[in-house]
């Protein structure tokens, strides 16, 4: 492991330590979504996952 990797790991940990309190505050003060909003989020994530699976299957069939 060279010194650049070590310094970047230290920097990432320091960023997480300094940002963690702000993340907690943002989560506490954020607006809560309705059930319809969460349903749409779930459907969109499902659509994206289905599209990724479709792309993976189409690439798999062209490689063979």
């Amino acid at each position: 492991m060279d010194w650049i990797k070590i310094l970047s790991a230290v920097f990432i940990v320091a960023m997480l330590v300094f940002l963690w309190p702000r993340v907690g505050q943002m989560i506490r003060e954020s607006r809560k979504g309705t059930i319809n909003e969460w349903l749409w989020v779930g459907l969109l994530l499902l659509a994206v996952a289905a599209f990724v699976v479709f792309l993976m299957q189409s690439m798999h069939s062209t490689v063979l």
Side-chain angles (χ1 to χ4, degrees):
M1 228 185 200
D2 58 345
W3 62 275
I4 293 177
K5 290 180 183 178
I6 294 171
L7 284 178
S8 63
V10 168
F11 178 71
I12 290 171
V13 169
M15 266 188 1
L16 290 175
V17 166
F18 285 115
L19 289 178
W20 190 256
R22 292 289 299 157
V23 169
Q25 180 185 3
M26 288 168 40
I27 289 173
R28 281 191 305 272
E29 296 178 3
S30 67
R31 184 180 72 85
K32 305 299 183 230
T34 64
I35 190 69
N36 282 340
E37 291 172 336
W38 283 111
L39 188 62
W40 275 109
V41 168
L43 288 173
L44 286 172
L45 287 173
L46 188 63
V48 168
F51 183 67
V52 169
V53 168
F54 167 73
L55 288 176
M56 289 171 56
Q57 290 297 323
S58 66
M59 289 304 294
H60 179 65
S61 63
T62 58
V63 172
L64 295 176

